[in-house]
């Protein structure tokens, strides 16, 4: 079944098409959701919520850009909204242990499993994680992030740099352990 | 330097998570499916657009199905027509062929059969067609019971002449175990029990017998034959039939406990072995047959059935060849 057919089926609310779409993309989408929350159950909640949004809003997809990208955006928004109720608490937290500057770049470490990275990302406090995800991985700029999360650009920037530092430290620890 | 490092770490993560896929739990689609079902309405909102696409998506298969149906229907009609014509043609052929060989009509058929029937089972089958299904089932049953019938000759009523074959058939209803119309003397479980109780006291009080007999005469249609059999019960009887009859009051329990403790673990019907043959059918409360056997050996332990009330129909054949049916409830407790 070609994607176009699936999409039109989804617009019509055809359950079979919806299932096909889900089966095709749910693993990729779950990969996104996992980055935004603490555990898998939570991620799956977001996944379901995200797909619900995809189904209800699929007729808004104009066929510009890739459908996959559109779905990803919807999913990310679902993830953010999942946190929205708690957002105001997130940015009061601070990472205590991380101090000092980033010294030198890290080499892209081969052999580190994605799961490992995921674990590290999850260690970040919610706010840092959101900002880092949005900026570093999803590629939003600080202005957009500030708007989405309803914070100031400055907060976004500082959170990002702190998150980076923390991640770097953890990564170094990982590589050292590996050696 | 710093900027580079930042880009580096960002890029590193970005690369790692690009197209990262994760396995979800097994039933996640079902969850989503449920949720979709519960909030079906949003999709109906966009009815005009949706309807259009639905039409496109589903009209095709629908038309396909309709088309196949049509084809099947026409094919069926065509075959029916051809068969019909062929039959017609055959008939005509027959008529033509009959002219030289006069009168192979209905009346002669039984004759033809009787010529050869005495031994051949096949013909038995053919002849069955003349009678109704119940007879057929009896016959079938007869063979299962692998018990030769006691001959109780009867002046044959409906069927033409007294050929050995037909005589046999007529005796069957008298002794048939399943024939619905013919003989079976349905004795409700309670009554059976009553009778048993009466009996347990002393040896078969006369009124129990007569009650029994009355019933039989009332219900049995072709009692002309079985009456001698009834007499068997009374002391006048030929000696061979007597011992089983008197001692063979069935004691059917109404409960058994197949829990493996060695006590009352099986559905044991006392005196069942005194009868020459039997057939036991057990069904659950919805009427589904859960157990059925011929020549039951008191060895059923309820299999894996849940505990509860079940119904049994026990048909036994006496020495005299007459059949009796008992039915009632049996409770399985574990």
């Amino acid at each position: 079944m070609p994607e176009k057919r699936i999409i039109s089926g989804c617009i019509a609310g055809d359950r079979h098409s919806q299932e096909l779409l889900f089966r095709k993309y749910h693993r990729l989408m779950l990969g996104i959701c996992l980055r935004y929350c603490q555990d898998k159950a939570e991620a799956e909640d977001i996944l379901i919520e995200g797909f619900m949004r995809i189904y209800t809003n699929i007729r808004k997809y104009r066929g510009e850009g890739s459908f996959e990208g559109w779905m990803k955006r919807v999913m990310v928004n679902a993830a953010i909204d999942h946190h929205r109720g708690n957002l105001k608490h997130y940015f009061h937290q601070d990472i205590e242990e991380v101090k000092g500057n980033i010294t030198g770049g890290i080499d892209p470490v081969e052999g580190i499993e994605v799961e490992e990275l995921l674990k590290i990302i999850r260690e970040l406090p919610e706010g840092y994680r959101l900002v880092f995800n949005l900026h570093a991985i999803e590629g939003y700029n600080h202005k957009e992030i500030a708007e989405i999360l309803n914070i100031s650009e400055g907060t976004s920037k500082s959170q990002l740099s702190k998150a980076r530092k923390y991640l770097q430290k953890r990564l170094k620890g990982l590589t050292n352990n590996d050696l | 330097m710093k900027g580079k490092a930042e880009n580096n770490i960002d890029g590193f993560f970005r690369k790692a998570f690009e197209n990262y896929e994760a396995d979800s739990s097994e039933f996640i689609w079902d969850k989503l499916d449920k949720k979709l079902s519960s909030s079906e309405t949003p999709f109906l909102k966009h009815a005009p657009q949706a309807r259009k696409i639905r039409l496109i998506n589903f009209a095709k298969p629908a038309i396909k199905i309709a088309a196949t149906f049509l084809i099947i229907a026409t094919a069926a009609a065509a075959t029916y027509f051809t068969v019909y014509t062929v039959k017609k043609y055959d008939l005509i052929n027959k008529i033509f062929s009959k002219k030289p060989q006069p009168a192979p009509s209905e009346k002669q058929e039984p004759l033809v059969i009787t010529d050869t029937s005495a031994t051949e089972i096949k013909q038995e089958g053919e002849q069955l067609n003349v009678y109704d299904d119940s007879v057929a089932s009896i016959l079938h049953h007869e063979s299962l019971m692998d018990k030769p019938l006691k001959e109780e000759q009867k002046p044959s009523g409906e069927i033409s002449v007294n050929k050995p074959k037909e005589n046999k058939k007529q005796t069957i209803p008298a002794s048939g175990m399943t024939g619905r119309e013919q003989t079976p003397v349905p004795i409700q479980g309670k009554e059976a029990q009553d009778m048993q109780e009466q009996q347990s006291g002393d040896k078969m009080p006369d009124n129990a017998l007569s009650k029994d007999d009355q019933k039989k005469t009332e219900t049995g249609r072709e009692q002309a034959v079985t009456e001698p059999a009834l007499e068997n019960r009374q002391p006048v009887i030929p000696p061979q039939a007597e011992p089983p009859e008197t001692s063979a009051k069935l004691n059917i329990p109404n409960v058994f406990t197949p829990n493996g403790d060695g006590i009352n673990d099986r559905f044991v019907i006392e005196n069942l072995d005194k009868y020459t043959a039997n057939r036991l059918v057990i069904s659950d409360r919805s009427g589904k047959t859960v157990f059925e056997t011929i020549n039951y050996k008191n060895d059923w332990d309820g299999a894996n059935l849940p505990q509860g009330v079940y119904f049994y129909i026990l048909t036994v054949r006496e020495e005299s060849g007459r059949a009796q049916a008992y039915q009632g409830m049996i409770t399985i407790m574990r």
Side-chain angles (χ1 to χ4, degrees), chain A:
Chain A
M1 211 171 179
E3 198 172 77
K4 257 194 173 172
R5 188 90 188 280
I6 294 179
I7 292 172
S8 64
C10 286
I11 293 173
D14 168 33
R15 188 62 54 83
H16 182 62
S17 309
Q18 287 172 347
E19 183 170 358
L20 283 178
L21 187 75
F22 180 83
R23 297 246 181 260
K24 193 171 173 188
Y25 286 112
H26 76 280
R27 299 183 78 254
L28 188 65
M29 295 302 149
L30 189 63
I32 294 171
C33 297
L34 281 171
R35 278 191 279 118
Y36 282 91
C37 51
Q38 294 289 355
D39 57 21
K40 202 170 173 183
E42 207 183 337
E44 283 177 355
D45 284 347
I46 297 174
L47 182 73
I48 287 178
E49 171 60 23
F51 265 97
M52 288 298 288
R53 286 184 186 198
I54 288 169
Y55 293 148
T56 40
N57 295 317
I58 196 167
R59 74 214 148 80
K60 289 180 190 162
Y61 171 64
R62 300 266 175 244
E64 302 149 4
S66 80
F67 183 64
E68 195 181 306
W70 180 80
M71 284 178 78
K72 275 181 179 171
R73 272 205 304 286
V74 175
M75 202 53 78
V76 168
N77 286 336
I80 292 168
D81 285 349
H82 178 77
H83 292 285
R84 196 168 291 285
N86 300 322
L87 273 183
K88 59 184 171 200
H89 306 299
Y90 285 176
F91 301 100
H92 299 307
Q93 297 164 346
D94 210 350
I95 307 178
E96 298 284 324
E97 320 96 89
V98 186
K99 275 162 190 165
N101 291 323
I102 299 172
T103 52
I106 54 149
D107 300 320
V109 194
E110 303 295 338
I112 294 185
E113 295 291 316
V114 187
E115 273 73 18
E116 210 87 67
L117 295 178
L118 198 63
K119 227 168 109 190
I120 298 173
I121 283 192
R122 281 177 175 176
E123 284 169 17
L124 289 169
E126 248 78 347
Y128 297 89
R129 200 192 316 144
L130 272 176
V131 174
F132 181 78
N133 266 324
L134 289 173
H135 185 90
I137 301 175
E138 254 73 56
Y140 288 53
N141 62 36
H142 285 297
K143 203 179 163 195
E144 287 170 323
I145 293 172
E147 268 174 27
I148 292 170
L149 300 181
N150 200 18
I151 53 177
S152 72
E153 264 181 69
T155 316
S156 171
K157 278 176 187 165
S158 76
Q159 298 259 329
L160 179 67
S161 73
K162 280 176 188 167
R164 272 179 187 150
K165 278 175 204 162
Y166 180 77
L167 289 173
Q168 180 128 31
K169 195 182 163 202
R170 289 289 286 116
L171 272 182
K172 271 199 173 151
L174 263 188
T175 42
N176 286 340
N177 285 348
D178 281 354
L179 292 170

Side-chain angles (χ1 to χ4, degrees), chain B residues 16-309:
Chain B
F17 283 106
E18 196 178 29
N19 296 325
Y20 168 60
E21 294 188 343
D23 288 315
S24 57
S25 27
E26 223 173 306
F27 301 111
I28 188 150
W29 164 251
D30 301 34
K31 259 191 203 168
L32 183 56
D33 194 30
K34 234 186 217 167
K35 204 165 177 191
L36 279 169
S37 309
S38 64
S39 63
E40 194 69 84
T41 36
F43 300 107
L44 297 177
K45 267 192 226 162
H46 338 304
Q49 199 184 357
R51 238 180 254 154
K52 207 172 159 189
I53 292 157
R54 252 187 209 151
L55 265 181
I56 295 164
N57 271 8
F58 298 111
K60 279 179 193 169
I63 290 164
K64 265 184 199 167
I65 289 164
T68 38
F69 249 98
L70 217 93
I71 291 163
I72 290 166
T74 33
T79 40
Y80 180 79
F81 185 73
T82 44
V83 166
Y84 181 71
T85 44
V86 165
K87 259 191 182 171
K88 220 176 176 182
Y89 193 64
D90 273 355
L91 262 181
I92 294 162
N93 263 358
K94 258 188 190 171
I95 291 160
F96 279 127
S97 60
K98 265 178 194 173
K99 272 177 185 175
Q101 296 175 0
S105 60
E106 301 158 1
K107 284 186 182 177
Q108 276 205 335
E109 271 178 36
L111 266 184
V112 177
I113 290 157
T114 43
D115 287 343
T116 45
S117 62
T119 44
E120 281 193 20
I121 302 161
K122 229 188 180 180
Q123 300 232 329
E124 201 176 289
E126 281 174 24
Q127 243 190 342
L128 276 181
N129 298 336
V130 185
Y131 309 100
D132 64 12
D133 282 346
S134 61
V135 178
S137 70
I138 291 157
L139 254 192
H140 173 64
H141 201 72
E142 201 52 43
S143 61
L144 282 176
M145 303 278 285
D146 64 295
K147 171 75 190 175
L149 284 171
K150 296 267 156 128
E151 28 20 54
E152 286 167 74
Q153 297 277 357
K154 229 194 290 175
S156 58
E158 340 148 62
I159 318 151
S160 51
V161 225
N162 42 340
K163 296 140 198 166
K165 190 72 201 173
E166 306 206 327
N167 279 335
K168 196 189 175 188
K169 198 153 289 153
Q170 293 239 311
T171 57
I172 294 154
S175 57
M177 310 212 58
T178 49
R180 266 168 241 143
E181 319 160 356
Q182 263 85 346
T183 27
V185 188
I187 298 171
Q188 292 294 331
K190 266 209 173 166
E191 290 173 56
Q193 272 180 6
D194 286 350
M195 282 159 61
Q196 283 158 23
E197 282 165 25
Q198 280 177 0
Q199 234 167 3
S200 60
D202 41 11
K203 272 191 222 156
M204 301 191 70
D206 273 355
N207 54 356
L209 264 185
S210 59
K211 191 181 165 190
D212 208 21
D213 290 350
Q214 271 174 10
K215 250 186 208 160
K216 262 149 217 175
T217 41
E218 276 166 24
T219 45
R221 212 202 273 158
E222 315 190 22
Q223 285 298 324
V225 203
T226 45
E227 256 151 21
L230 283 180
E231 282 164 17
N232 283 355
R233 295 196 140 211
Q234 273 134 17
V236 202
I237 330 149
Q240 23 131 307
E242 198 175 353
E245 298 273 310
T246 41
S247 60
K249 248 320 173 187
L250 287 172
N251 187 6
I252 307 174
N254 56 14
V255 64
F256 70 106
T257 57
N259 49 10
D261 62 353
I263 303 165
N264 199 13
D265 269 350
R266 291 168 199 286
F267 183 39
V268 175
I269 301 165
E270 274 176 42
N271 294 330
L272 187 63
D273 49 342
K274 304 289 196 323
Y275 289 86
T276 54
N278 67 68
R279 175 169 181 266
L280 178 66
V281 178
I282 291 173
S283 53
D284 62 14
R285 281 183 302 175
S286 62
K288 205 181 89 194
T289 299
V290 293
F291 180 73
E292 181 170 13
T293 189
I294 285 160
N295 287 332
Y296 175 59
K297 296 283 192 303
N298 280 339
D299 53 2
W300 188 57
D301 62 353
N304 293 324
L305 293 173
Q307 62 177 14
V309 178

Side-chain angles (χ1 to χ4, degrees), chain B residues 5-25:
Chain B
E6 283 167 0
N7 286 339
N8 207 340
I9 197 165
D10 286 4
F12 176 64
F13 274 90
R14 190 179 297 168
K15 205 178 160 195
F17 283 106
E18 196 178 29
N19 296 325
Y20 168 60
E21 294 188 343
D23 288 315
S24 57
S25 27

